[in-house]
Amino acid sequence: MKFQFDPNQTFQIDAIKSIVDVFEGQEKNTSARNLAGDLFGIYPNFLSLSVKEVLANVKKIQEKNAIKNGGIMQDLDFSIEMETGTGKTYVYLRTIFELNKKYGWKKFIVIVPSVAIREGVIKTLQITQEHFKGLYDSVPYRFYEYQSKNISQVRHFAASGNIEIMVMTIQSFNADARVLYTERDQMQGEQPITFLQKANPILILDEPQNMEGDATQERLKRFNSLFRLRYSATHKTLHNLMYQLAPHHAYKMGLVKKIEVFSVLDSDDAPSVYVNLIDVTSLRNTLKAKLGVTAIDATGKVAKKKITVKQGDDLKEKANNPAYKGFVVEALTANAPDFGSVGSIRFTNNITVKIGDSIGGNKEEIMKRQIAETVRLHFEKKQKMTELGIKVLSLFFIDRVDSYVKNDGFIRKTFIMEFNRQKKEFGFDSLDVDTVHKGYFAMRNNEYLEREAAIAENQEAYELIMKEKERLLSFDEPTEFIFSHSALKEGWDNPNVFNICTLNATASVMKKRQEIGRGMRLCVNQEGIRQFVRQINLLSVVANESYSDYVGQLQAEFIEDGIYKAPPAPSNARGRIPIKLKKNFQKDNNFKQLWNRISRKTRYFVTVNSQKLIDGCAEHIARLNIPKPQIKVERAGLDITIEGIEARRLGSDSQKITDKKKLIDCINFIKEETKLTRNSVVEILAKAGNFNSLINNPDRFSFDAAQIIKTELIKNYIEQIAYEIIPEIYHADEFKDDDGYQDSVCNVDRSIYDAIVYDSNVEKDFALKLNGDERIKLFIKLPNWFKIETPLGGYNPDWAIVTVKRDLHGQESDEKIFFVIETKGDVDNLRPIEAGKIHSAKKHFEVIHVKYSEVESYQQFTEQLIV
């Protein structure tokens, strides 16, 4: 088969014209020989327009293309932004021919950031030869890869009277300084770089965001280029942006595939040990590791979470999870593949985890389901596409090369099993699993590397995937499944990749845009004709994370790349302002009377009704209904809009985990968590008798049972609690000047401070209304150090308030009323611990004879005022 190119795609023509028109008014280069001198015989490019005239053209084009913030600069650099998969390489190659046709320019150098991208450019030049010959009357041109061992090609580049397209990596240009800057006899005693400079080449920078280092920028100047064209989907710096095809435009116009995400997740929310090492990096001589762990939040909810740790950190504290007892970071090894160093973490319990590995969780079950889903999607699409003459390809990004290349590797074995099982269901019995898949990994000295390096050494897969795209797309080539680690992160894509499976245990070190970029192009049939039917152009991503997390990361990458604006900075990112105590506030009579009442300290004592506790705990534990752990699959469709990325949930499925969990020491776990005696725990569990839930998921059962017992303990404590006054008091000397972020501070004059720091809109509204109510003589936002001791920890109320009694005519008396108020948005739905603290505080304030209540609004508070 051969790729067919449509020369009439409007968006590509617009992109090309936007560059060609920059030089409107330029006289055409015709016989340019000898402009650089007879000695060298160079045909250079030359520019007759002034910079002022060029920039005037730039302004007109930007206005026509409705480009705002295009980064107009005085330098002759011009940016084109095109979404991945929309033919960026084709556009800049055709721009070469249009610039030659209109202005006669002949010398072009394409600079790319990697070998993989260079191979992709050379491949595109090869497969477009007939296309461009037909479009441009067989104009003679030559393209080739720059090679220092063939330095004579530099002289040919400069001296040729035809179109010359030299493709080089920025690394080769940087590394070949000795070759380029050495005088040579075959070049009349001149340095090779001189020939390039005198040719005034037009530079085309492919993915220029990878060439922004100061040293690289300085080297690029040595080309003495006529001007520079920059092409990317993800520019970091825009130089005279001339045309923009943003992701949401490409998606809306149907120029790329639609995207759906299948999230394969472990629904087991037991707080058991799980450690997934994502990365270990060195920062300012300190090693830090990024881990995936099972964390417990303040509400007792269990969830997988990413945390950063350093030497000496205790996972039990970092994850707030007692299951990590003994997991203290003892040693870290940085991840530096170029130096043969694989990232690892070792804990004081002698457990070591390497990058790509994990302990705990259900990693293999998740991978099994991901592979099964991808094979299923592949066969479903194959059934439909084969009739249309379209070959389906599926791409797997894997966590460890050994897991595929070894015969007993988990990924290889699982894929073979799933392929052979499902091929019968879909009627593909004759397919031989050994012929349909290939691995594509970097190699060195016959050893596979888990990084991108020396990719050409993996010759068989390299030839097929990088150099023979047409063969890979043909029904005659049996390969349908491609397995890679990181070598395909850029420089390669294939229009018929319909499924991407991310098996990376590190939740993928690749960016989401890199991953989906491998399969965003519209598919082609066996004649090489691109298909624009939206119903068949669907890219399915099978990920090992929730679709909301996937979309969130993708959105963050779009923001990082400047496609979408970042949300406004939070208020705490703005300046802090001082909050001052009023002078002599302690002498104020209202303050003295208020503080004399509320500063008294108390202590509590409780009695526990053991039998009532055991009965209550057993009753609730008996009602637990804990199923066996499952692997859950959620499907969501993605829409790329002008505002951002939106996800629509399309369906879900679940499957029980086949591996049985080991029974843990349930009794000891609950004993440690609740501080009850072993006998009490045994009695509670025996009376509950819920052994089905225990066997289904011992970790989850132990955690839930412990939570129930702690809740019942709280209720028991609170019901029996009593307070008594003790001699100690809170001292007013502890009040100090403060400060706060300006967006969370409001000025007041009825307090001991000149302003109040509020934590919510409820508090802000309450403070402003207190300040505006003439019945209020004084109010204080109680500081954090003012705490009432409770069985559940210290409790810090919100407000202390002084009012006075009034008669029916509104006349004030000398009798003061003192309040302590808690403001809550939803008083009826407090967390048990929060409700327990408030209940305890009421007992405390009863003892010291201060009115206390919790309110949702200022109106509720005023109903308590005596008129």
Side-chain angles (χ1 to χ4, degrees):
M1 65 163 289
K2 290 184 179 180
F3 284 106
Q4 305 295 318
F5 295 91
D6 181 0
N8 301 311
Q9 295 195 74
T10 304
F11 72 96
Q12 292 180 340
I13 293 172
D14 289 344
I16 295 165
K17 194 173 188 304
S18 295
I19 290 297
V20 174
D21 290 352
V22 166
F23 305 100
E24 188 64 44
Q26 161 75 16
E27 62 181 88
K28 188 169 183 178
N29 288 207
T30 51
S31 177
R33 180 177 290 279
N34 295 328
L35 286 176
D38 290 334
L39 181 64
F40 298 113
I42 292 173
Y43 281 86
N45 296 323
F46 72 87
L47 183 65
S48 60
L49 295 178
S50 67
V51 172
K52 184 178 179 181
E53 289 172 315
V54 171
L55 294 180
N57 287 339
V58 166
K59 187 175 181 182
K60 290 178 186 177
I61 297 165
Q62 288 184 336
E63 289 175 354
K64 179 182 176 182
N65 290 344
I67 291 174
K68 299 177 181 178
N69 302 318
I72 295 181
M73 306 173 75
Q74 293 298 310
D75 55 13
L76 295 182
D77 283 65
F78 308 96
S79 300
I80 294 288
E81 184 174 287
M82 296 182 70
E83 174 60 345
T84 300
T86 57
K88 164 174 62 74
T89 306
Y90 172 87
V91 165
Y92 69 64
L93 292 180
R94 185 167 171 185
T95 300
I96 289 173
F97 290 96
E98 288 292 333
L99 290 173
N100 171 263
K101 180 179 179 180
K102 187 163 185 178
Y103 306 121
W105 290 323
K106 293 181 171 66
K107 307 302 166 67
F108 300 87
I109 300 177
V110 180
I111 302 182
V112 299
S114 70
V115 172
I117 294 179
R118 183 193 68 197
E119 292 303 317
V121 175
I122 294 293
K123 180 63 183 178
T124 303
L125 280 162
Q126 290 171 347
I127 64 179
T128 53
Q129 287 183 85
E130 290 186 14
H131 175 74
F132 286 141
K133 283 181 179 179
L135 280 179
Y136 297 99
D137 298 325
S138 296
V139 60
Y141 71 99
R142 192 173 74 107
F143 62 87
Y144 44 92
E145 169 195 338
Y146 165 79
Q147 294 177 326
S148 59
K149 63 184 179 182
N150 186 17
I151 199 65
S152 61
Q153 64 186 193
V154 171
R155 179 163 188 168
H156 183 91
F157 173 88
S160 169
N162 298 324
I163 299 173
E164 295 286 321
I165 305 171
M166 181 187 291
V167 184
M168 67 164 60
T169 65
I170 192 64
Q171 293 90 343
S172 67
F173 179 67
N174 290 342
D176 286 350
R178 183 180 57 82
V179 175
L180 289 168
Y181 294 92
T182 300
E183 295 176 354
R184 293 177 173 269
D185 292 337
Q186 68 264 43
M187 293 188 172
Q188 297 163 278
E190 292 290 331
Q191 300 171 350
I193 189 67
T194 302
F195 284 78
L196 294 179
Q197 291 169 339
K198 290 184 178 295
N200 301 127
I202 295 167
L203 296 189
I204 296 174
L205 307 184
D206 193 329
E207 309 292 354
Q209 70 275 11
N210 296 316
M211 309 175 199
E212 294 198 350
D214 291 341
T216 298
Q217 288 297 305
E218 283 301 313
R219 290 187 178 99
L220 288 174
K221 291 178 182 178
R222 296 175 187 173
F223 280 106
N224 191 33
S225 58
L226 198 67
F227 54 84
R228 291 157 298 280
L229 304 179
R230 299 166 173 264
Y231 290 81
S232 178
T234 55
H235 289 281
K236 283 184 180 178
T237 306
L238 291 172
H239 298 255
N240 299 314
L241 180 62
M242 306 311 304
Y243 179 82
Q244 185 176 45
L245 182 64
H248 45 83
H249 293 137
Y251 192 83
K252 185 178 180 180
M253 294 164 65
L255 303 177
V256 292
K257 289 190 182 88
K258 295 180 295 181
I259 308 169
E260 64 177 357
V261 176
F262 286 80
S263 298
V264 183
L265 302 168
D266 179 357
S267 67
D268 182 8
D269 55 358
S272 51
V273 170
Y274 163 74
V275 179
N276 171 28
L277 183 57
I278 297 170
D279 200 6
V280 184
T281 55
S282 178
L283 182 64
R284 296 177 184 173
N285 298 321
T286 301
L287 290 174
K288 291 190 175 182
K290 190 174 184 181
L291 303 175
V293 297
T294 306
I296 303 173
D297 66 17
T299 67
K301 184 179 179 182
V302 180
K304 296 288 192 296
K305 181 182 177 183
K306 294 182 179 70
I307 62 171
T308 300
V309 298
K310 60 183 183 304
Q311 190 174 8
D313 282 349
D314 188 341
L315 290 197
K316 181 180 177 182
E317 295 177 1
K318 297 283 288 187
N320 188 33
N321 186 346
Y324 288 102
K325 185 178 180 180
F327 279 82
V328 178
V329 181
E330 185 174 54
L332 292 166
T333 302
N335 190 47
D338 291 341
F339 294 91
S341 177
V342 178
S344 66
I345 185 169
R346 187 178 76 243
F347 301 98
T348 52
N349 56 10
N350 290 321
I351 290 177
T352 299
V353 183
K354 294 182 179 180
I355 284 185
D357 286 340
S358 61
I359 62 171
N362 294 294
K363 171 187 170 182
E364 290 192 350
E365 288 286 339
I366 291 172
M367 282 189 169
K368 282 181 184 177
R369 187 63 191 267
Q370 282 185 272
I371 293 169
E373 284 295 320
T374 307
V375 172
R376 177 186 64 80
L377 288 165
H378 183 96
F379 281 138
E380 284 182 353
K381 293 178 182 180
K382 182 180 174 72
Q383 281 183 325
K384 299 175 184 176
M385 303 295 185
T386 302
E387 297 176 358
L388 301 173
I390 299 169
K391 182 178 178 180
V392 175
L393 299 175
S394 294
L395 175 61
F396 291 80
F397 286 110
I398 70 175
D399 63 338
R400 299 190 69 185
V401 174
D402 281 353
S403 191
Y404 173 78
V405 298
K406 291 185 176 180
N407 289 332
D408 61 347
F410 176 78
I411 290 175
R412 176 179 286 269
K413 288 195 305 182
T414 304
F415 170 76
I416 291 172
M417 179 190 70
E418 281 298 329
F419 183 90
N420 286 332
R421 181 180 68 83
Q422 293 194 45
K423 72 177 184 179
K424 298 175 183 177
E425 297 178 16
F426 288 91
F428 296 109
D429 301 52
S430 61
L431 289 179
D432 180 2
V433 68
D434 293 331
T435 65
V436 298
H437 62 103
K438 273 190 172 63
Y440 178 68
F441 311 103
M443 292 186 72
R444 179 174 291 168
N445 298 326
N446 295 319
E447 180 183 354
Y448 289 106
L449 302 177
E450 297 188 353
R451 60 191 176 90
E452 183 180 13
I455 60 174
E457 293 180 33
N458 191 1
Q459 200 62 36
E460 181 187 4
Y462 175 77
E463 294 293 333
L464 177 62
I465 294 169
M466 295 300 295
K467 289 192 170 184
E468 300 181 24
K469 280 187 179 181
E470 302 98 319
R471 180 159 71 89
L472 185 56
L473 287 168
S474 169
F475 286 147
D476 295 332
E477 166 57 47
T479 303
E480 299 179 14
F481 299 87
I482 300 166
F483 290 80
S484 183
H485 183 268
S486 59
L488 291 181
K489 70 178 184 179
E490 59 183 12
W492 180 87
D493 49 39
N494 193 293
N496 287 22
V497 170
F498 285 92
N499 308 299
I500 294 176
C501 180
T502 59
L503 296 171
N504 318 57
T506 59
S508 179
V509 295
M510 288 175 63
K511 285 191 171 185
K512 299 290 184 282
R513 291 195 76 185
Q514 284 181 323
E515 285 181 348
I516 64 175
R518 302 316 102 216
M520 289 294 286
R521 290 184 182 276
L522 299 181
C523 64
V524 300
N525 63 14
Q526 292 299 288
E527 284 72 48
I529 299 172
R530 201 165 301 281
Q531 305 297 296
F532 286 90
V533 181
R534 300 212 73 171
Q535 287 74 16
I536 63 174
N537 280 294
L538 175 64
L539 175 64
S540 301
V541 180
V542 183
N544 54 3
E545 58 189 315
S546 71
Y547 68 81
S548 58
D549 287 347
Y550 190 95
V551 170
Q553 179 60 37
L554 188 57
Q555 175 83 1
E557 290 174 15
F558 276 122
I559 291 172
E560 182 183 340
D561 294 334
I563 306 301
Y564 297 128
K565 291 183 179 179
S571 60
N572 62 4
R574 302 180 180 118
R576 297 186 75 92
I577 57 175
I579 297 172
K580 298 290 186 181
L581 274 168
K582 293 180 179 177
K583 290 183 179 180
N584 301 318
F585 75 93
Q586 293 190 43
K587 296 181 180 180
D588 179 84
N589 192 51
N590 287 317
F591 175 80
K592 287 194 292 186
Q593 293 182 57
L594 174 64
W595 199 248
N596 185 53
R597 290 289 189 92
I598 69 172
S599 64
R600 299 173 187 175
K601 290 187 178 182
T602 61
R603 66 183 172 202
Y604 68 86
F605 50 93
V606 295
T607 57
V608 177
N609 187 328
S610 299
Q611 193 56 50
K612 184 178 180 182
L613 173 67
I614 289 171
D615 292 343
C617 291
E619 181 183 348
H620 286 87
I621 292 173
R623 291 202 293 263
L624 285 176
N625 183 18
I626 300 175
K628 290 182 178 180
Q630 295 180 326
I631 297 298
K632 180 173 60 175
V633 181
E634 292 185 333
R635 180 188 178 201
L638 272 55
D639 289 318
I640 303 176
T641 70
I642 196 167
E643 292 85 13
I645 303 172
E646 299 174 354
R648 290 183 296 127
R649 193 167 182 268
L650 302 176
S652 63
D653 188 19
S654 60
Q655 178 178 303
K656 290 180 181 178
I657 293 176
T658 55
D659 293 342
K660 292 184 178 179
K661 285 185 169 284
K662 296 178 181 179
L663 289 176
I664 67 168
D665 188 345
C666 176
I667 294 172
N668 192 58
F669 178 88
I670 296 172
K671 172 180 170 291
E672 291 290 322
E673 277 286 277
T674 63
K675 309 307 178 189
L676 292 182
T677 66
R678 189 174 185 87
N679 288 339
S680 295
V681 174
V682 171
E683 187 175 350
I684 290 170
L685 297 184
K687 191 163 189 175
N690 192 348
F691 300 113
N692 283 338
S693 290
L694 171 61
I695 293 171
N696 282 346
N697 193 335
D699 289 335
R700 179 77 250 180
F701 177 84
S702 301
F703 179 74
D704 285 357
Q707 294 298 106
I708 287 171
I709 292 172
K710 286 194 281 189
T711 301
E712 289 299 307
L713 274 169
I714 290 169
K715 287 169 59 180
N716 205 294
Y717 285 152
I718 300 308
E719 288 172 0
Q720 306 297 326
I721 195 168
Y723 282 84
E724 63 181 11
I725 297 174
I726 59 176
E728 288 84 5
I729 64 170
Y730 290 100
H731 295 282
D733 293 341
E734 293 186 61
F735 282 102
K736 306 292 181 185
D737 287 342
D738 200 0
D739 62 16
Y741 294 106
Q742 62 185 41
D743 278 9
S744 59
V745 169
C746 59
N747 296 326
V748 295
D749 51 32
R750 293 182 188 269
S751 184
I752 63 174
Y753 285 97
D754 60 5
I756 291 293
V757 179
Y758 56 86
D759 298 325
S760 64
N761 287 331
V762 172
E763 285 191 0
K764 178 184 178 182
D765 181 70
F766 198 81
L768 292 174
K769 288 180 176 175
L770 281 171
N771 197 59
D773 192 336
E774 63 179 14
R775 293 171 293 183
I776 307 303
K777 300 306 173 186
L778 180 74
F779 69 95
I780 302 171
K781 181 73 161 52
L782 289 168
N784 290 335
W785 48 261
F786 186 91
K787 288 184 178 178
I788 292 95
E789 295 305 315
T790 81
L792 308 173
Y795 166 68
N796 173 225
D798 289 329
W799 310 96
I801 303 168
V802 183
T803 69
V804 295
K805 282 190 175 183
R806 293 185 173 205
D807 62 21
L808 292 174
H809 301 289
Q811 297 298 315
E812 294 182 355
S813 69
D814 293 332
E815 186 178 352
K816 303 288 176 66
I817 306 173
F818 307 96
F819 289 93
V820 173
I821 297 295
E822 179 74 25
T823 47
K824 291 293 181 186
D826 188 354
V827 171
D828 296 327
N829 289 295
L830 300 176
R831 290 184 289 114
I833 290 178
E834 198 172 22
K837 286 183 177 181
I838 288 174
H839 183 84
S840 299
K842 287 180 180 178
K843 298 289 184 74
H844 161 84
F845 286 113
E846 284 175 8
V847 170
I848 65 173
H849 303 292
V850 173
K851 291 179 177 288
Y852 170 87
S853 63
E854 66 274 21
V855 300
E856 293 181 358
S857 65
Y858 193 74
Q859 176 64 33
Q860 284 187 6
F861 166 65
T862 59
E863 292 170 0
Q864 302 177 42
L865 299 180
I866 300 175
V867 181

